[in-house]
C-alpha cells in the first residue's frame, strides 16, 4: 500500500465544467442528434491532435472565438461533416450541480480548495448561451475557491503537468497531499502521476461518495 495516500489530504482541487457544472458532452450529443451528426463526433474531433487543434488553441487564448469557429468548422469538414461552431460554443454552458457546490463548501471548511479549468476568455464574440443570472451564479461559485487556475489566462491547459504544479505552488501544498476531481481521464492521468489522488466524475453523487471516503467528513446535507 502506498502510505502517502493514507495521510489526510491538505487540498481538494476541482475541475469546473463536467464537475461543478454538468458535462458539455450531453449538450454536444443533443446538437449531434438535431443536426444528424454521428454520436460523439464533436468529442472525437476534440480528441484528435489534442495539443494543436482548434479547441486547444482557444483554451490557451491563441485564437479568438471567431478564429476558433473557423478552425473548428474546417476540422469538422475535413472529417466529413458540417457543423455550426457557434452552436458548439453555446453548448459549453452546463448547469450548476448544487450537490457538488455543497461538497466543495464543506471541503473548504477543512481543506485548501482551488479550481483548475480549461476555459476560454469571456466577453468575446456573441454571448454564450449563459444567461446573466447564470453568469452571476457561476461567478459566485468561483469566489469560493482560494485560487482559480484558468488555461485562458495562464496559456497552459490540462493535461500539461505544469498547470497542476502551478495550482500546488499557489496553495503551498505538495501534489501528494491533494485530491483532484475531473470528468476526463486524460486530465486525471498527469495529476495521478504527480502523486495526487484522483476521482473521475461521471455521476456526481457517486463522485461525492468517493470524495467523502477520502476526506473522512460528511459532504452532503
Amino acid at each position: 500500500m502506498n502510505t502517502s495516500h493514507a495521510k489526510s489530504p491538505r487540498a481538494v482541487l476541482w475541475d469546473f465544467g463536467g464537475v461543478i457544472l454538468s458535462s458539455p458532452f450531453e449538450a454536444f450529443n443533443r446538437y449531434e442528434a438535431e443536426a444528424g451528426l454521428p454520436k460523439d463526433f464533436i468529442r472525437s474531433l476534440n480528441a484528435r491532435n489534442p495539443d494543436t487543434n482548434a479547441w486547444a488553441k482557444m483554451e490557451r487564448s491563441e485564437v479568438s472565438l471567431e478564429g476558433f469557429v473557423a478552425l473548428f468548422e474546417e476540422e469538422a469538414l475535413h472529417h466529413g461533416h458540417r457543423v455550426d461552431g457557434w452552436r458548439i460554443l453555446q453548448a459549453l454552458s452546463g448547469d450548476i450541480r448544487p450537490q457538488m457546490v455543497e461538497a466543495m463548501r464543506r471541503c473548504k471548511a477543512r481543506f485548501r480548495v482551488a479550481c483548475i479549468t480549461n476555459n476560454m476568455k469571456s466577453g468575446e464574440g456573441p454571448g454564450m448561451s449563459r444567461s446573466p443570472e447564470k453568469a452571476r451564479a457561476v461567478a459566485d461559485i468561483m469566489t469560493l475557491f482560494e485560487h482559480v487556475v484558468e488555461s485562458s489566462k495562464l496559456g497552459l491547459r490540462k493535461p500539461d503537468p505544469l498547470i497542476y504544479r502551478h495550482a500546488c505552488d499557489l496553495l503551498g501544498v505538495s501534489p501528494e497531499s491533494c485530491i483532484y476531481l475531473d470528468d476526463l481521464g486524460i486530465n486525471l492521468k498527469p495529476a495521478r502521476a504527480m502523486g495526487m489522488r484522483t476521482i473521475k466524475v461521471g455521476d456526481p453523487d457517486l463522485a461525492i461518495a468517493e470524495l467523502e471516503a477520502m476526506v473522512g467528513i460528511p459532504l452532503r446535507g
Side-chain angles (χ1 to χ4, degrees), residues 42-112:
I42 295 160
R43 190 171 183 168
S44 72
L45 272 187
N46 295 343
R48 293 172 198 271
N49 311 314
D51 294 324
T52 55
N53 65 15
W55 206 265
K57 288 177 178 175
M58 177 181 67
E59 289 180 340
R60 289 193 301 256
S61 295
E62 292 169 8
V63 292
S64 65
L65 294 188
E66 288 85 354
F68 163 78
V69 166
L71 282 173
F72 193 83
E73 290 178 353
E74 193 180 308
E75 283 174 17
L77 271 178
H78 182 69
H79 291 285
H81 295 280
R82 192 176 295 279
V83 301
D84 178 345
W86 291 113
R87 279 289 305 277
I88 303 305
L89 287 178
Q90 287 165 355
L92 288 177
S93 177
D95 296 318
I96 293 165
R97 290 170 165 167
Q99 72 272 49
M100 272 293 181
V101 178
E102 177 64 19
M104 194 259 287
R105 282 180 189 277
R106 290 179 178 224
C107 282
K108 182 180 168 71
R110 293 281 293 274
F111 310 102
R112 313 294 301 276

Side-chain angles (χ1 to χ4, degrees), residues 15 17 24-25 28 46 50-51 53-65 68 89 92 117-121 149-159 163 184 187:
D15 176 28
F25 297 134
F28 288 165
N46 295 343
D51 294 324
N53 65 15
W55 206 265
K57 288 177 178 175
M58 177 181 67
E59 289 180 340
R60 289 193 301 256
S61 295
E62 292 169 8
V63 292
S64 65
L65 294 188
F68 163 78
L89 287 178
L92 288 177
T117 178
N118 282 356
N119 65 354
M120 67 191 88
K121 280 185 175 166
V149 178
E150 301 177 72
S151 67
S152 63
K153 290 183 177 173
L154 208 55
L156 291 170
R157 68 193 281 276
K158 299 175 292 187
I163 199 166
L184 296 179
N187 292 340

Side-chain angles (χ1 to χ4, degrees), residues 13-17 20 104 113-119 138-154 163 166-167 170-171:
L13 309 176
W14 310 72
D15 176 28
F16 204 72
I20 302 290
M104 194 259 287
V113 291
C115 178
I116 307 176
T117 178
N118 282 356
N119 65 354
V138 165
D140 286 346
I141 294 167
M142 287 297 194
T143 65
L144 298 172
F145 294 108
E146 290 176 62
H147 296 282
V148 178
V149 178
E150 301 177 72
S151 67
S152 63
K153 290 183 177 173
L154 208 55
I163 199 166
H166 181 70
L170 287 173
L171 292 173

Side-chain angles (χ1 to χ4, degrees), residues 170-188:
L170 287 173
L171 292 173
V173 297
S174 67
E176 292 81 9
S177 64
C178 296
I179 296 168
Y180 177 56
L181 296 91
D182 201 298
D183 63 321
L184 296 179
I186 191 173
N187 292 340
L188 292 168

